[in-house]
Amino acid sequence: MHQFRVETIFPFHIGGIDVSFTNSAMWMVFVATAISLLTIAGMGKGSLVPGRWQSVAEMSYEFVANMLRDNVGDAGKRFFPFVFTLFMFVLFCNMGGMLPYSFTVTSQIIITFALAIFIFIGVTIIGFAVHGLHFLHFFVPKGVPAALLPLLVVIEVISYFTRPVSLSVRLFANMMAGHTMLKVFAGFVIAMGWLGGFLPLAFMVAFSGLEILVAFLQAYVFAILTCIYLNDALHMH
């Protein structure tokens, strides 16, 4: 499991708090740099007939814009920069983890939970900012008999507060499980040698393709659930 170990590159402490630069931080810097190069450098010329990098940047923009438009509506346009940044960051972290000798940032629960709790708090603040105390009606289903309200309100509140847990664990578990499975079969290839290693090697090739698909799907799920939470905060339905 050494591929998931966070290792210190440049040790640094502030007031007894460890704020060292780690391999996790290094890969997040790489991801931020790669996204910046794609979006800024790719759109630098702004050609009428786009080149390869500009086409990728434009498709990424349009993909997230359509996702936000379909799930939040026109009211969600102002949140596009955040959702776009979130989707690209998770996607590049997932895909970067597929490179040999890389580090999968999203396989760390502290990273995915930090993203999820930030989204949860932000969406809650937006809900109260738009609706005031009326936002509390979100936890009271309409048309429910009064006798069932105490039970259903508790269920709705618990369901709401489990959002950051489910959002973070889903991404973390999928990335960690997939990479662990690849490592296990890689061990089989080495242990079984030239004669018996072809079968686990073939499985590794196929599973690598599936893992790339999962890396994209998990970024998509993370972003679309954020859009759904924004829709709940803005429209309460």
Side-chain angles (χ1 to χ4, degrees), residues 162-235:
T162 56
R163 283 180 172 184
V165 177
S166 62
L167 193 62
S168 59
V169 170
R170 181 185 295 108
L171 176 59
F172 147 76
N174 274 279
M175 299 313 298
M176 186 174 187
H179 284 63
T180 303
M181 183 72 73
L182 284 173
K183 182 66 175 179
V184 168
F185 277 88
F188 287 159
V189 173
I190 297 172
M192 298 175 71
W194 288 100
L195 296 178
F198 289 104
L199 185 60
L201 180 62
F203 182 85
M204 275 191 62
V205 173
F207 195 80
S208 294
L210 178 62
E211 189 68 6
I212 292 174
L213 176 62
V214 169
F216 173 80
L217 285 178
Q218 287 305 312
Y220 172 74
V221 169
F222 203 89
I224 201 169
L225 285 176
T226 302
C227 293
I228 292 172
Y229 297 160
L230 278 171
N231 181 63
D232 290 341
L234 294 172
H235 302 125

Side-chain angles (χ1 to χ4, degrees), residues 7-22:
E7 298 178 350
T8 300
I9 299 177
F10 301 114
F12 193 69
H13 294 79
I14 299 178
I17 300 176
D18 188 0
V19 290
S20 301
F21 188 78
T22 64

